[in-house]
């Protein structure tokens, strides 16, 4: 069996949902909806929107979680809980945070009405060094980065420019296909 390269599984940038950095969360929803409509229905749907600057360079992404966190401004007051969340959050702690920070207290339609005013650049995730993989790399490198970084996707580069997205769901699907044809 040949070595699978990242470019064999990536979603090309041209097929991905992209918005400018001055777009609003409302624009993110529309872009994601349009990308889903155009996307190959035999594959899993998109779960994020890429953000580009005015020159067309990808500078970040907005995931489904980023959008939800962006709608409720109280999360910004809580700070970084990533270390705590890896060990699990008990229900009492979650309830205390909801009460202490008045999270999701307004009706959902009122909260969602903020989407036209919240700028993507204010809530987007800016990728870090370990979130990039070269399109010519073999899949093992991509898998390692996804697993060790606990990421849902990696940005794929060619000559230092982002050309696509390697999604965990596509990697998982490919690994499952290979497992099924392996001789045990």
């Amino acid at each position: 069996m040949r070595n699978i390269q990242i470019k064999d599984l990536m979603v090309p940038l041209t097929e991905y949902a992209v918005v400018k950095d001055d777009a609003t969360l409302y624009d993110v929803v529309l872009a994601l909806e349009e990308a889903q409509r155009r996307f190959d229905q035999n594959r899993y749907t998109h779960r994020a929107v890429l953000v580009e600057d005015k020159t067309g360079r990808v500078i970040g992404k907005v995931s489904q979680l980023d959008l939800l966190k962006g709608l409720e401004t109280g999360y910004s007051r809580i700070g970084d809980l990533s270390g705590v969340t890896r060990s699990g959050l008990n229900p009492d702690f979650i309830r205390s945070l909801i009460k202490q920070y008045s999270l999701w207290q307004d009706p959902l339609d009122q909260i969602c009405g903020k989407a036209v005013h919240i700028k993507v650049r204010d809530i987007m995730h800016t990728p870090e060094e370990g979130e990039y993989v070269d399109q010519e790399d073999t899949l093992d490198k991509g898998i390692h980065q996804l697993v060790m970084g606990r990421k849902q996707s990696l940005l794929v580069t060619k000559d230092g420019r982002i050309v696509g997205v390697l999604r965990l769901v596509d990697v998982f699907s490919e690994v499952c296909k290979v497992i099924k044809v392996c001789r045990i």
Side-chain angles (χ1 to χ4, degrees):
M1 177 183 239
R2 69 175 177 81
N3 279 340
I4 299 169
Q5 290 183 296
I6 299 297
K7 65 183 174 186
D8 298 329
L9 291 182
M10 74 176 198
V11 176
L13 200 56
T14 55
E15 294 179 24
Y16 219 81
V18 179
V19 297
K20 296 291 185 193
D21 64 346
D22 61 348
T24 66
L25 292 187
Y26 179 78
D27 298 322
V28 166
V29 171
L30 295 179
L32 191 54
E33 194 173 77
E34 174 62 19
Q36 303 292 26
R37 190 186 62 71
R38 289 188 333 254
F39 196 60
D40 176 1
Q41 296 304 307
N42 294 322
R43 296 178 79 180
Y44 290 98
T45 57
H46 295 298
R47 291 178 175 83
V49 173
L50 297 179
V51 180
E52 59 183 23
D53 63 15
K54 288 168 185 32
T55 68
R57 187 176 63 91
V58 175
I59 57 171
K61 66 181 173 178
V62 177
S63 70
Q64 293 169 338
L65 281 175
D66 294 327
L67 187 136
L68 293 174
K69 284 174 52 180
L71 284 174
E72 177 48 79
T73 56
Y75 288 116
S76 63
R77 296 189 314 268
I78 294 174
D80 183 16
L81 291 176
S82 60
V84 175
T85 58
R86 291 200 196 278
S87 60
L89 298 175
N90 72 44
D92 291 334
F93 180 67
I94 291 171
R95 280 191 287 279
S96 74
L97 286 177
I98 291 171
K99 186 176 181 180
Q100 180 180 354
Y101 291 97
S102 301
L103 301 173
W104 300 100
Q105 299 301 306
D106 295 329
L108 187 56
D109 60 345
Q110 186 177 340
I111 291 171
C112 291
K114 300 176 196 175
V116 296
H117 304 291
I118 300 169
K119 296 293 183 188
V120 169
R121 71 171 76 86
D122 296 330
I123 60 107
M124 73 178 189
H125 168 73
T126 303
E128 299 166 357
E129 186 177 339
E131 295 180 61
Y132 298 93
V133 63
D134 191 275
Q135 73 167 6
E136 300 298 328
D137 284 336
T138 52
L139 189 55
D140 58 320
K141 182 173 181 187
I143 291 172
H144 179 68
Q145 283 181 245
L146 288 165
V147 169
M148 296 305 294
R150 300 178 60 93
K151 300 296 179 192
Q152 293 294 312
S153 64
L154 299 172
L155 295 173
V156 181
T157 61
K158 176 183 179 181
D159 301 324
R161 213 143 156 91
I162 295 168
V163 295
V165 177
L166 179 67
R167 303 177 318 163
L168 176 61
V169 68
D170 298 326
V171 171
F172 180 79
S173 178
E174 183 67 20
V175 169
C176 288
K177 278 194 261 181
V178 174
I179 287 172
K180 289 192 293 188
V181 299
C182 282
R183 292 199 176 143
I184 299 177

